Amino acid sequence: MIKKEFFTLSGAKGRGMLTDLTYDDKFRDAPLVIFAHGFKGFKDWGTHNLVANYFAENGYRFLKFNFSHNGTTPDNPVDFTDLIAFSDNTFSFELGDLTTVIDFACNGSAIPQANGVYLIGHSMGGGISTIKAAEDERVKKLVSMASISSFHNLWPKQAEEQWRLQGIMYMLNTRTNQQMPLKASLLDDLDKNPGRLDILAKAAQITQPWLIIHGDEDKTVPLSHAKQLKTAQPHAEFLIVKNGDHTFGGTHPYTENTLPTQLHDFCNEVIKFFNKEV
């Protein structure tokens, strides 16, 4: 039977990160997959729970979490009710959050101990996951799902000068119609950590098996990002999803009880990749 357990971990600045683990109770110690969501995303977005169930049905534990400063809270995990936290976010915070989640998976304190993890990162979460895989040998395999190749590509480059002058910039969330604030401390983090936060430089350092998957109709993160990642790390496997958008057919809210065709195919390709003997 497929089951789900919930946990709240302590993320950056002590902020709570709501986390859930989906698994088949016949295989409580199955290999563990961690999923890192994207910018303006959250762990329960659209199709993410169906993806978790699909992996559990196919022999994996699937752990997903909300980054500590993604704008949600443990009490409101699907709404951006804490825009102050969102405005304070940095990529270094997110790397620390992901370290906390991997620690949780591998220390055996609350769930059966994982002997290393498989990591899937979507969009911005793909960039964070790329850096983490280069830094942490506990990541055994990496999957980039419509990943960015540079954090600077999350906003218009020409906006940065005014952003620094004003100390804050607002980005429209077209789904919720919210103006999402971002303090210039996000840029300061990039300035202070140019080596660590260079996704392509970290991509070149990855030694684990790596699968890069990207849709050729992605209007949010163009296919060129995936090609740059592949160029940086020629040993990575590279798969282009024909007619694939940024979420491979997923939407929020998503009212169907089966995965969209392209996302179903994505899951099968990832499971095949994870099942390969190294």
Side-chain angles (χ1 to χ4, degrees):
M1 180 182 295
I2 303 301
K3 292 188 174 180
K4 182 175 289 189
E5 295 181 10
F6 295 88
F7 310 89
T8 300
L9 308 182
S10 180
K13 292 188 173 180
R15 292 188 57 80
M17 298 190 295
L18 192 61
T19 304
D20 62 62
L21 177 69
T22 304
Y23 62 96
D24 187 327
D25 62 0
K26 296 192 298 291
F27 307 106
R28 286 183 54 83
D29 58 351
L32 193 140
V33 178
I34 294 176
F35 175 77
H37 67 73
F39 190 58
K40 294 183 286 187
F42 45 92
K43 72 177 183 66
D44 296 304
W45 184 93
T47 48
H48 291 347
N49 286 307
L50 286 176
V51 169
N53 289 342
Y54 193 80
F55 273 80
E57 290 164 357
N58 283 275
Y60 290 87
R61 292 182 289 165
F62 198 92
L63 184 68
K64 51 190 175 67
F65 66 102
N66 284 332
F67 281 106
S68 62
H69 287 68
N70 76 334
T72 69
T73 67
D75 292 331
N76 292 283
V78 298
D79 297 306
F80 296 120
T81 57
D82 194 344
L83 294 182
I84 293 176
F86 185 88
S87 72
D88 285 332
N89 196 21
T90 69
F91 302 117
S92 291
F93 283 174
E94 294 192 335
L95 283 165
D97 289 344
L98 184 51
T99 299
T100 296
V101 174
I102 295 174
D103 289 345
F104 172 77
C106 293
N107 66 22
S109 60
I111 62 175
Q113 184 176 16
N115 182 24
V117 300
Y118 297 149
L119 191 54
I120 302 174
H122 177 241
S123 193
M124 178 204 69
I128 294 294
S129 297
T130 298
I131 294 170
K132 191 59 189 166
E135 293 181 345
D136 196 327
E137 63 183 11
R138 293 175 299 175
V139 178
K140 301 305 181 184
K141 291 187 178 184
L142 171 67
V143 173
S144 297
M145 179 185 187
S147 175
I148 59 172
S149 59
S150 169
F151 292 119
H152 287 282
N153 290 324
L154 289 168
W155 51 77
K157 181 66 176 177
Q158 62 270 23
E160 289 190 11
E161 183 178 358
Q162 191 68 18
W163 184 2
R164 293 180 191 276
L165 287 172
Q166 294 182 337
I168 196 165
M169 178 179 72
Y170 292 87
M171 297 187 70
L172 177 65
N173 185 326
T174 55
R175 181 180 63 83
T176 66
N177 210 34
Q178 289 172 287
Q179 292 287 347
M180 310 284 283
L182 289 170
K183 291 181 182 177
S185 51
L186 193 68
L187 294 175
D188 294 340
D189 185 42
L190 289 168
D191 292 341
K192 293 174 183 175
N193 301 284
R196 190 185 190 200
L197 298 179
D198 184 331
I199 297 171
L200 290 176
K202 290 294 185 178
Q205 299 172 15
I206 288 178
T207 58
Q208 302 96 320
W210 182 10
L211 175 62
I212 300 167
I213 305 183
H214 214 105
D216 63 359
E217 296 295 331
D218 190 334
K219 293 180 172 56
T220 304
V221 177
L223 180 61
S224 58
H225 288 239
K227 293 178 178 178
Q228 289 173 342
L229 292 170
K230 171 63 175 174
T231 298
Q233 183 45 264
H235 297 297
E237 297 183 33
F238 185 29
L239 179 63
I240 298 174
V241 177
K242 190 175 182 180
N243 301 318
D245 62 12
H246 191 54
T247 54
F248 303 121
T251 58
H252 186 85
Y254 187 79
T255 57
E256 304 295 323
N257 57 13
T258 57
L259 288 166
T261 299
Q262 289 174 334
L263 190 55
H264 181 271
D265 292 345
F266 164 85
C267 291
N268 284 337
E269 290 293 339
V270 173
I271 289 168
K272 188 191 310 179
F273 172 70
F274 286 162
N275 285 343
K276 284 182 186 176
E277 294 291 336
V278 178

